[in-house]
Amino acid sequence: MRAYLKQEIGDAVDAQTLQRFCEESPDMIEWLKDQGVRFRGGPVSSYKTSYPTDDFYLYYSGNEKAHPYSRHARPVPRGHRVVAPGMSPGKALFEHLCRSAKAKGVKFIPLARVHELIRDDGGRIRGVRYRAVAPDHPHARKHAVLTKLTGKIGTWLPGLVKGAVDRAEELWADAASDGEAYAGAVILAAGGFIHNREWMTEHAPDFMKISPLGTPGDDGTGIALGVEAGGRTDKMGNITAWRFLSPPSGFLEGLTVGRDGRRIANEDLYGATHGDVMMREFGGTGWAIYDARTWRKVKDQIREQTQLAGRNAIGICSNSYVSGSSIADCIFGGRRAGAHAAASMQSLSGRQDTRDQP
């Protein structure tokens, strides 16, 4: 696992962090099960897929079987789908983790946006200032309806639902009120900045014309708060651009070429890997070429292989994204941050107890 991921992540994290990520992966699955998340083994699809149908819950999620990755590590299927139908496993994962957190006493404040950190007299961060919409506000239900209607389609076709999304933003701005939250430790965990066009122009101008994959909340606020707290940014130009050729897998048997006629890359690479090469070396333009026999194969495979249906810190997927690496890194990093915060609070509490003793 480490030999394969080393090729994917490059210098995104140090060797010790990668080793820890790999060593803790089995326990991570068991921890998720303890929170109610369901997994299933079983057969692996015989065809290449970036996301399997409901017949399969274990799959090759990245470039494991593709050249040159397969030369450095024995291909093994490590993609684990949460047991849920269609495109809903991600939602099911979050719902299980949300219920588990609430059962442990975590208080959720929905529709909240943090805009400032609170420091004590010694400069230590003690909380956050935010704006939020109260759940019983009349606009809350309207906002929920618009978000549900535009959430999925807005990810893939943002222009189609821009008006509805803008209206949801207006409802939030009109109903939000100020609030503060205090804690012994503050963890920043937010998305990227694909919807911050000023930052995109500054850090990734070549990606300005691609359709943004994210939500309006991916505006870089979490990153900005981290900088305010004394952090520094890195790899801000690493934008993932997707152009998936499959499913069906017959599409991988063609040839992809750029504007100058050169082959773009190995066609059975993960879509984000192939897309990154196309963006950075071919200006984002290319063609896929198929002969008649392959085209007939593609049409025959459509029914069998298809179904209807962030980033606040440098992490495992900061250099190269493959299916599942982002959510795995979020859980891995989130648990590490939580454990560190808990240990810091215990340490502070111990010192306070010592000072309080006569």
Side-chain angles (χ1 to χ4, degrees):
M1 182 178 184
R2 185 180 62 81
Y4 165 65
L5 285 179
K6 178 59 180 174
Q7 300 173 81
E8 290 285 5
I9 71 164
D11 63 351
V13 299
D14 59 34
Q16 291 76 21
T17 300
L18 177 59
Q19 184 70 24
R20 179 175 178 177
F21 178 85
C22 296
E23 290 177 348
E24 294 182 2
S25 289
D27 289 339
M28 181 77 73
I29 293 292
E30 295 305 315
W31 180 83
L32 287 169
K33 289 180 179 179
D34 290 341
Q35 315 313 310
V37 182
R38 295 175 57 212
F39 293 98
R40 181 187 302 165
V44 178
S45 65
S46 60
Y47 52 86
K48 168 76 173 182
T49 179
S50 58
Y51 188 82
T53 66
D54 289 350
D55 295 327
F56 306 101
Y57 284 86
L58 182 65
Y59 67 113
Y60 291 92
S61 57
N63 294 307
E64 297 93 340
K65 299 177 71 176
H67 177 84
Y69 298 83
S70 59
R71 294 179 56 191
H72 301 278
R74 180 173 61 88
V76 175
R78 296 191 180 92
H80 295 271
R81 262 190 66 187
V82 173
V83 177
M87 301 293 288
S88 65
K91 178 182 178 182
L93 172 65
F94 175 79
E95 289 175 343
H96 285 300
L97 293 179
C98 184
R99 281 194 294 268
S100 176
K102 287 181 176 179
K104 293 175 172 63
V106 175
K107 179 183 178 182
F108 279 84
I109 304 177
L111 294 177
R113 301 181 184 181
V114 174
H115 59 269
E116 186 179 355
L117 301 173
I118 299 174
R119 298 176 184 268
D120 61 19
D121 294 338
R124 185 178 178 84
I125 296 172
R126 292 299 189 184
V128 298
R129 292 188 174 92
Y130 63 90
R131 289 179 59 77
V133 177
D136 58 352
H137 192 284
H139 284 2
R141 176 172 172 75
K142 298 176 184 177
H143 186 279
V145 170
L146 287 174
T147 300
K148 184 175 182 179
L149 291 174
T150 61
K152 182 62 70 174
I153 193 170
T155 300
W156 304 108
L157 298 169
L160 187 63
V161 295
K162 184 179 185 303
V165 172
D166 289 345
R167 176 55 182 159
E169 290 294 289
E170 292 172 359
L171 290 170
W172 183 90
D174 183 57
S177 58
D178 293 330
E180 294 182 349
Y182 293 85
V186 175
I187 298 172
L188 296 176
F193 61 91
I194 194 68
H195 279 280
N196 185 327
R197 305 318 281 173
E198 181 179 344
W199 280 21
M200 283 292 294
T201 301
E202 177 183 355
H203 299 292
D206 293 341
F207 290 76
M208 283 294 292
K209 293 183 179 180
I210 67 172
S211 178
L213 183 61
T215 72
D218 293 316
D219 61 2
T221 298
I223 299 172
L225 289 171
V227 172
E228 178 189 334
R232 63 180 180 84
T233 59
D234 193 10
K235 303 187 182 302
M236 295 286 278
N238 284 4
I239 307 297
T240 179
W242 298 4
R243 176 56 72 192
F244 285 86
L245 296 173
S246 65
S249 58
F251 276 131
L252 303 176
E253 298 179 22
L255 184 70
T256 55
V257 297
R259 287 179 293 188
D260 59 1
R262 289 185 298 127
R263 186 187 186 189
I264 294 175
N266 182 2
E267 287 74 24
D268 65 355
L269 289 172
Y270 184 73
T273 307
H274 189 278
D276 189 67
V277 177
M278 185 170 69
M279 284 296 300
R280 299 185 186 280
E281 297 186 22
F282 296 87
T285 300
W287 287 266
I289 303 171
Y290 304 96
D291 59 19
R293 180 186 64 81
T294 304
W295 192 247
R296 286 194 297 270
K297 183 176 182 178
V298 166
K299 291 191 290 186
D300 290 341
Q301 291 176 339
I302 288 177
R303 177 173 296 183
E304 173 193 357
Q305 298 183 15
T306 58
Q307 60 186 9
L308 300 176
R311 300 225 43 94
N312 214 148
I314 299 296
I316 295 295
C317 61
S318 292
N319 275 342
S320 174
Y321 171 83
V322 292
S323 183
S325 62
S326 179
I327 197 167
D329 185 52
C330 284
I331 297 172
F332 170 71
R335 292 185 70 199
R336 288 184 67 187
H340 178 75
S344 297
M345 291 174 65
Q346 289 177 349
S347 176
L348 288 171
S349 176
R351 289 199 295 269
Q352 183 64 47
D353 291 344
T354 301
R355 290 194 296 268
D356 290 343
Q357 292 176 2

